[in-house]
Amino acid sequence: MSASRRSGTTDELGPDEPERSGPHRSDGPGGPDPDPPDESGGSEDLLAALLDGMDAALCAFDADGVVTHWNREAERILGWSAAEAVGRHGFAGWAVRSADAEEVQSRLMAAMHASGRQVHEFALVTKDGGRVLVRTQSAAVRGPDGKPAGLYCAFSEVHAQIDLERSIALSEALFEDASWGVVLVDADLRPAVVNAHAARALGIGRTSALGRPLGELLAQGAEELESALTHVLAEGAPPAPAEMWVALRTPEGEKRRCWRSGFLRLASPLAEEPVPLGVGWLFQDVTEAKHGEQEASLLRFRTNQLHRAARAAGECEDPAEAATVHLDFALAGFADHALLDRMAGAPRAEGDDSAPVRLVRLAATPAGAPGPSVLTGAAGLPLRYEPGHPALQCVARAGTVRADAGSVSAERAREWARDRQWPEDAVHALCAVLRSRGRTLGVVTFLRGSGRSRFERSDAAYAEDVAARIGAALDLAEAVREEPGK
């Protein structure tokens, strides 16, 4: 504990006060007055408690350089107790080496005549003879007349000070220059601090995001994020980052992003028991990487399907059956329905517009439940496709055609599908032409319901690969039928 030369407790800076030798007596006729209340004892106890509760080591010197104060942290660092330190003249002979004593004393005492605080680094000697490098902050203590009455010196081990400075520098760098988003969320799950990167990712200003519910900042994904933050507050940081899909509000509409997020529970270092201050949320936008991973995975799957289809089709004796095998393998994970239409009559050469296009249904997947394609069209009756039908456009262009019902009601979507003679749950269509030996043999149509996304360009490329294989199989089937004896 802190001590003074007089009573063993910390006293105010300055010369010692005279001891009270006895009760104060009044000269009046009333006899001796009782002792006045001792107010200095309470102030001394308060000062001692304040000094001993400090996290930094503190000592003080009077104008002559004599140690007047020494707190517990100073005792912890150097090992000298308050009783051993208070009353010594400077650090010479006990807390510094003799060779360094003069320089240390002069630099310390110079703080009494300087303005502001003076920062120095000294190598002090511990009670057991070791040495410790400390960083000191010294400043003058002035008396009632404004003249220097002494100085105080707060010090800490250099490595501890450097750790603190690093922590502060890290915090400032995270909130200014970090290449990932950093958000401090309070215990009410509202942003308290947002760095520049996070503000750009959210599409909002750093100050305008503060204190607002996450539901106001995100169009989708706020519930999942709040659930993760609540878990971290209750259970602590998760062992690995989490990938979360969110939707942001932009002038062009909602924009989906994938954020790889890490969470840290923040607790007050000043409380005896951990008191949650909130959650540190760090995230990076990995949308492009996730899209790349998804596309690569999809490409591997589709390549495997094409390989498996080719091997299965090679075992079919009937080339028409091989065509349906290719269709069934392509359908997995790609579409809900598939239709295979062949040209009525002879195949159509490119640029041949002499006769209208007529198509006959060759195979189709079951309309009610999933299952393999079923060969149909034995009667050879042409389909009643209206002019402008996507399948007819596909034949006329000798290229791929995409069609969508659009943003309409469910009833209008069913009417759209019925008008094109497709299953009623179809809302997205992709027609790929069947070509072989420079001739058009028919059309394969893939259909998706409302639970799937529309067909993209990559889907069209896959459908064209499947159509090329089906076209070759149908061309072989025609050639087999034309052989003599078949």
Side-chain angles (χ1 to χ4, degrees), residues 283-297:
F283 66 90
Q284 277 187 316
D285 192 322
V286 294
T287 308
E288 302 305 323
K290 291 300 293 183
H291 284 163
E293 292 175 6
Q294 292 172 354
E295 290 174 2
S297 177

Side-chain angles (χ1 to χ4, degrees), residues 233-249:
L233 281 173
E235 304 293 337
E243 292 178 353
M244 312 182 74
W245 284 92
V246 300
L248 304 173
R249 298 183 181 91

Side-chain angles (χ1 to χ4, degrees), residues 231-263:
H231 173 81
V232 173
L233 281 173
E235 304 293 337
E243 292 178 353
M244 312 182 74
W245 284 92
V246 300
L248 304 173
R249 298 183 181 91
T250 66
E252 297 78 20
E254 293 185 1
K255 188 176 182 181
R256 281 177 55 81
R257 310 301 297 173
C258 182
W259 289 343
R260 181 171 293 151
S261 303
F263 303 94

Side-chain angles (χ1 to χ4, degrees), residues 340-349 358-360 362 395 433-444 467-468 470-478:
L340 184 57
D341 301 332
R342 63 176 177 83
M343 296 289 296
R348 185 186 182 97
R358 294 186 304 164
L359 296 172
V360 176
L362 178 63
V395 172
V433 65
L434 305 178
R435 300 273 297 174
S436 180
R437 293 190 293 168
R439 301 173 303 159
T440 298
L441 305 178
V443 178
V444 59
I470 295 176
L474 293 183
D475 193 13
L476 179 59
E478 293 288 340

Side-chain angles (χ1 to χ4, degrees), residues 306 323-341 365 373 390-391 400-404 416 422-423 426-434 443-449 452-455 459-468 470:
L306 291 175
T324 62
V325 167
H326 282 292
L327 192 64
D328 291 335
F329 273 93
L331 196 63
F334 182 68
D336 297 316
H337 305 284
L339 309 173
L340 184 57
D341 301 332
T365 53
S373 301
T400 304
V401 174
R402 286 180 288 177
D404 292 279
W416 178 84
W422 291 335
V427 295
H428 309 294
L430 175 62
C431 298
V433 65
L434 305 178
V443 178
V444 59
T445 302
F446 295 101
L447 302 171
R448 289 178 177 174
R452 292 177 179 262
S453 61
R454 64 190 301 269
F455 289 100
D459 298 324
Y462 178 63
E464 289 168 0
D465 283 345
V466 175
I470 295 176

Side-chain angles (χ1 to χ4, degrees), residues 8-78:
T9 58
T10 306
D11 198 357
E12 66 216 24
L13 287 174
D16 294 337
E17 294 181 357
E19 298 282 354
R20 291 187 178 92
S21 57
H24 294 268
R25 299 182 178 273
S26 170
D27 293 337
D33 293 332
D35 290 340
D38 187 0
E39 298 179 356
S40 64
S43 63
E44 289 177 357
D45 293 341
L46 175 60
L47 180 57
L50 290 174
L51 294 180
D52 286 340
M54 294 177 61
D55 291 332
L58 185 135
C59 64
F61 303 86
D62 62 14
D64 297 325
V66 176
V67 178
T68 59
H69 298 75
W70 192 264
N71 73 349
R72 289 185 184 274
E73 185 65 11
E75 179 179 349
R76 185 194 68 80
I77 293 176
L78 297 180

